[in-house]
Amino acid sequence: MVKLLILGTGNMANSHATAFKAVPGATLVAAVEIDPERRAAFGKQHGITNLFASLDEAVAWGQFDAAANVTPDAVHYATTMQLLAAGKHVFCEKPLATSYPLALEMAETAEAKGVINMVNLTYRNSPALQKARELVSAGKIGAIRHVEASYLQSWLVGKQWGDWRTESRWLWRLSEEHGSKGVLGDVGVHIVDFASFGADSSIQSVDSRLKTFHKAPNDQIDEYKLDANDSVVMMTEFANGALGVITATRFATGHANDLSLTLYGTEGALEVKTDGKASSLRICAGADIDTQAWKKVECPPVPTTYERFVKACQSGVNGDPSFRRAAEVQRILDLCFDQDVARGKKIG
């Protein structure tokens, strides 16, 4: 039985706790939360009796095998390094760190310690994405020549998740001063992983453009300066030689939370779509190439990231996506941020 600690008690922590409770072979034994009321409520909700006000207290107690790190992005590094120093397996929320050097240090430390290290890139749970990767690896569409990927949200246009103009849970995501790295930092990590995992190839180079749009008078609402990027376009070259275009935006009217990936090869093409709940896969190959006909591909269920982490802890064999994989994704994001700085950030 893998004994798990939940670090942090925000919305995603509830998702982690619920998911891990459903995994055979895992048990929630402790949680860490600074705020006493939230700590007590979280413990009651998930049946956790060992509740700590700090990670120091939890590590001193020590009666857990692994931790799900669901703290804010800015403290992933410090908290994860403390857990690694204690020899604990770590399942960290994305992004692994706020920069590539920190993410790489975390990966190297985890590998040196010999502990299980994984990152919760949740769209790996898509059966369609996993099947597409399998078909690409088997050469079913030949050599990939072109990749198109997008992550489309529309909460800056609609109110399906509430009114961002009045709710702090959304406003902070638009403000660099409040720790946000915009749409690139928030969902860019997902679509970069989605595209390169599906293509079965790492991204070798990137040329990107970020844009922050005017959204309020003086680009500010209350204490929130609205200066984080809203849209990103990346032109990429993959290690397998393919060219690609990767985009993400919060202005995609009609799309609440949609990811798509199309892989064009010398012997066919694949199209993956998911909203994080349902996913689909189509293929155009063989005789269908001449008629541009697409056929649905059946995709069997796949283990979730939570299930794979528990299995990795039990077997001692690290799972995917690992810290090193997350660090590689962060390297691409950092290049995009660096290019934005070099061009001179503007709001327009």
Side-chain angles (χ1 to χ4, degrees):
M1 187 66 70
V2 178
K3 295 179 287 186
L4 284 159
L5 173 142
I6 305 292
L7 178 58
T9 63
N11 288 334
M12 278 305 299
N14 284 309
S15 297
H16 280 241
T18 300
F20 278 123
K21 283 194 293 185
V23 179
T27 182
L28 302 183
V29 298
V32 177
E33 168 58 53
I34 296 173
D35 184 273
E37 292 185 4
R38 291 202 301 265
R39 184 167 66 244
F42 188 83
K44 182 178 181 181
Q45 179 179 354
H46 297 290
I48 302 171
T49 56
N50 298 299
L51 303 171
F52 301 96
S54 72
L55 182 55
D56 287 342
E57 293 178 13
V59 168
W61 174 69
Q63 296 178 43
F64 61 99
D65 305 308
N69 190 342
V70 206
T71 57
D73 298 355
V75 294
H76 284 177
Y77 170 80
T79 51
T80 294
M81 292 298 281
Q82 185 174 354
L83 288 163
L84 295 178
K88 305 299 183 182
H89 306 306
V90 182
F91 183 72
C92 189
E93 255 307 317
K94 63 81 189 172
L96 180 58
T98 54
S99 71
Y100 172 63
L102 293 180
L104 182 61
E105 183 184 351
M106 294 163 75
E108 291 176 342
T109 301
E111 290 166 1
K113 283 283 186 179
V115 297
I116 301 303
N117 57 95
M118 290 179 61
V119 177
N120 192 30
L121 293 169
T122 53
Y123 296 102
R124 291 288 191 93
N125 299 338
S126 163
L129 178 66
Q130 296 287 343
K131 185 65 176 181
R133 162 88 168 208
E134 177 186 320
L135 294 174
V136 168
S137 300
K140 297 299 184 181
I141 62 170
I144 296 179
R145 293 290 184 252
H146 191 78
V147 177
E148 293 183 358
S150 64
Y151 193 141
L152 306 178
Q153 295 182 332
S154 59
W155 56 269
L156 286 177
V157 180
K159 298 179 181 178
Q160 66 270 24
W161 295 337
D163 189 347
W164 63 268
R165 299 168 185 82
T166 60
E167 299 182 28
S168 60
R169 64 180 179 137
W170 300 116
L171 282 168
W172 82 264
R173 294 178 183 271
L174 307 175
S175 176
E176 291 183 354
E177 291 181 359
H178 286 77
S180 176
K181 289 203 168 185
V183 71
L184 178 61
D186 189 17
V187 304
V189 60
H190 281 306
I191 196 61
V192 167
D193 178 70
F194 199 80
S196 52
F197 179 79
D200 191 19
S201 180
S202 61
I203 294 174
Q204 196 168 51
S205 63
V206 61
D207 183 20
S208 66
R209 297 301 289 264
L210 306 180
K211 186 66 178 286
T212 304
F213 296 97
H214 289 301
K215 295 179 288 296
N218 299 316
D219 300 306
Q220 187 157 344
I221 296 177
D222 297 329
E223 72 270 27
Y224 299 93
K225 183 177 180 182
L226 309 182
D227 57 355
N229 61 86
D230 302 310
S231 292
V232 58
V233 176
M234 306 178 209
M235 293 170 286
T236 61
E237 182 170 357
F238 290 76
N240 61 14
L243 294 182
V245 178
I246 301 174
T247 64
T249 184
R250 292 165 172 166
F251 278 102
T253 299
H255 297 273
N257 190 67
D258 295 332
L259 288 81
S260 65
L261 171 65
T262 308
L263 304 164
Y264 299 99
T266 55
E267 298 175 24
L270 292 165
E271 180 188 77
V272 181
K273 291 185 178 296
T274 184
D275 62 0
K277 298 176 182 178
S279 65
S280 65
L281 176 63
R282 299 195 306 164
I283 188 171
C284 179
D288 293 332
I289 291 175
D290 296 325
T291 58
Q292 296 80 54
W294 291 80
K295 292 180 179 177
K296 181 179 179 181
V297 178
E298 293 299 323
C299 304
V302 297
T304 66
T305 50
Y306 306 99
E307 292 170 319
R308 293 202 301 273
F309 179 70
V310 172
K311 181 179 178 180
C313 291
Q314 293 172 327
S315 67
V317 178
N318 204 54
D320 189 52
S322 65
F323 279 16
R324 187 163 287 274
R325 167 61 180 179
E328 174 58 25
V329 172
Q330 192 62 48
R331 182 182 71 85
I332 301 301
L333 301 187
D334 279 13
L335 287 172
C336 294
F337 286 121
D338 290 345
Q339 290 167 1
D340 187 47
V341 171
R343 287 190 175 98
K345 180 178 177 62
K346 297 179 180 178
I347 301 178

